[in-house]
Amino acid sequence: MTTLPRTRPRRRRLVSRNTVAGWSFILPNFVGFAVFTLLPVVVLFYVAFTNWNVFGVAEWTGTANFRRMWDDSSFWTALRNTVYYTVFHIPLTLAAALGLALLLNRKLRGVRFFRTVAFFPYITSIVAIAIVWNQLFSPEYGPINALLGAVGVDDAPGWTTSSTWSMPSVIIVGTWRYMGYYMLLFLAGLQTIPAQLYEAAETDGASAWQRFVHVTVPGLRHTTFFVTVLLTIESFKVFDLILVMTGGGPGQSTLVLSQYIYQKGFEENQFGYASAVSIVLFAICFGITVIQFMVNKRRNS
Amino acid sequence: MTATDLSLPTPAVAAPGNRSAPGRQARSRGWRLVGYAALVLAAAGLLLPFYWMVVASLKTNSDVFTIPITWLPDPVVWRNYLDIWQRSDMTTWLGNTLLLSVLVSFLQVVTGSFAAYGFARVRFPGRNALFLAYVGTIAVPWQSYMIPQFILMSKLQLSNTLWSIVALQAFGAFGVFLMKQFYETIPEELSESARVDGLSEFGIYRRIMLPLSRPALASLALLTFVTTWNDYLGPLVYLRSPELRTIQLGLNTFISQYNAEYALIMTGSVLSVLPVAVIFLLGQRYFIEGIATTGLKG
């Protein structure tokens, strides 16, 4: 009875002291984070409902931007192309990264060297990568078509100069760049699978494929989930690689959502309309991540 | 397999072991060879663009594209590496980029590790909600809020200054996330006993956590440095004056200006990649650990 009134103020003092301490640690970073990330995200939902232009004169226009978007064929092209990129980039990168990780998880000579090599594209700038690949893809004199010609392909594709092949070109380069990064995540995941599981499976006479399906795949569940979330966001926001490689062309064959936002916003100064398109990108990335988390949670329980 | 074992005649108790051992060895040697072949092939595919970049930068311009392709420069032309300094503002671009990368890395490491300590070790109301806001932004691509961010930066008179890039890169959620993951691996008892000894929270951070987290700090610094060095979109949106251009922005204006100077373009690319390549090769361990830390727990 006598202790209660004494501990309560002490507890409260501790809480308030901790609050001051906690906030003073977080504050220096939080100020920058709030002003340059959180605030813009909030403001986005205001600007998208206005006709904000370069002079900063904004009128509330309600859903006008979204109604305009509905009839905007360029917007739908950009959305379709983004989905095109995503649908191929995710499974290709996932397969390549997992394949490389499985290969590197074995006791082979030169594994360390190879890990360095595989990670190298990821730390190289997009601009340099796009420039080199454009030379490699050069339809008439480039080494890729020369190699294709050497193995007997007569009508080699025009790659970035052809509207049918421009998107596959970009997907190839995107996969090439990111597979090393996701390989590292898979490697880290593989190392958490206990070796005894493999040994037990082997004494039970499981084949390599059965071991993969029944030990490796379940053991990598969490990693695969996380990689898929990251890959989804990364695919939907694809921009700089395409901007430098093809500029969205030829025609609109590689125009993606991010680039359309950039065009409308920074080239045509239609900040309001560009923000409305941004909300679509935001909703897709955020929505898919939330759905993926929910599905993962249900599968776990 | 068990089925075949059972069907074998009785004296075969030792035989399957004897028979299968060399068979298995041969098979595993075969797999090993397949593994090596796959590794070599993949490495060739991964390295080809870099090989092309270096080789083309050492050729004369007319030798870059030939039929058949020349895989070795003949003659080796070092001139490109002299010419590029005269024909472009490479010095300005590299200077700006170096300044930005160092400043951003420093700020990110300081504010990120500081905030991470608050999230990892100090209990106060609202902490989890706040951290969720940080983590949530990882699912929000910059491209989706670059427009309102640009409006804000312009209002703050930051656009078209190097400060805009600092503001853009230095306070990201990534650093907080990475450092928090690391701090949580340090046993709580360590800070608890320091608290009993009368050390303040700041003292614990400075005297105990910082020295222990040196590898994580190195990971964060290197990853931030490389991200800032390689960033193209931020400078594209914010830096309009030619004297503010970073290496990525400069390189891209250079290729649109001299689009037929294939060899020189490759020289520029090599120079833009070189600093990052050196840093990566020296600090590879930190890159890999940093990525594995953030990747493991999600």
Side-chain angles (χ1 to χ4, degrees), chain B residues 18-32:
Chain B
N18 281 344
R19 235 196 348 204
S20 80
R24 203 202 246 171
Q25 225 165 46
R27 213 174 44 198
S28 95
R29 198 181 301 140
W31 273 117
R32 202 160 265 268

Side-chain angles (χ1 to χ4, degrees), chain A residues 90-102 175-176 179-180 183 186:
Chain A
I90 293 180
L92 280 176
T93 311
L94 212 56
L98 182 57
L100 286 180
L102 289 172
T175 305
W176 173 84
M179 61 186 181
M183 172 202 78
F186 274 127

Side-chain angles (χ1 to χ4, degrees), chain A residues 29 36 109 116 123 125 135, chain B residues 36 52 134 149 230 284:
Chain A
N29 188 274
F36 300 112
R109 228 170 286 187
T116 311
I123 57 124
S125 81
Q135 289 200 356
Chain B
Y36 277 122
W52 177 272
Y134 266 88
Q149 192 193 50
N230 285 343
Q284 199 189 149

Side-chain angles (χ1 to χ4, degrees), chain A residues 132-233:
Chain A
V132 181
W133 275 93
N134 270 354
Q135 289 200 356
L136 297 178
F137 275 136
S138 165
E140 277 158 62
Y141 305 104
I144 288 180
N145 276 1
L147 288 175
L148 285 178
V151 296
V153 180
D154 290 330
D155 48 346
W159 301 112
T160 53
T161 59
S162 131
S163 50
T164 17
W165 282 96
S166 51
M167 192 51 102
S169 319
V170 172
I171 292 170
I172 290 172
V173 180
T175 305
W176 173 84
R177 180 167 199 254
Y178 289 104
M179 61 186 181
Y181 173 75
Y182 295 108
M183 172 202 78
L184 270 191
L185 298 188
F186 274 127
L187 264 178
L190 281 174
Q191 269 143 28
T192 63
I193 303 177
Q196 294 100 294
L197 282 184
Y198 286 103
E199 283 156 20
E202 206 160 352
T203 39
D204 286 350
S207 67
W209 174 251
Q210 282 168 328
R211 286 198 302 268
F212 174 72
V213 172
H214 297 292
V215 180
T216 313
V217 171
L220 284 179
R221 262 255 308 280
H222 286 285
T223 315
T224 313
F225 165 71
F226 183 61
V227 166
T228 316
V229 171
L230 287 183
L231 259 173
T232 311
I233 300 168

Side-chain angles (χ1 to χ4, degrees), chain B residues 87-106:
Chain B
R87 305 206 29 198
S88 71
D89 292 325
M90 208 66 165
T91 337
T92 316
W93 303 339
L94 287 172
N96 287 338
T97 317
L98 187 67
L99 179 73
L100 281 174
S101 303
V102 169
L103 192 59
V104 166
S105 307
F106 175 74

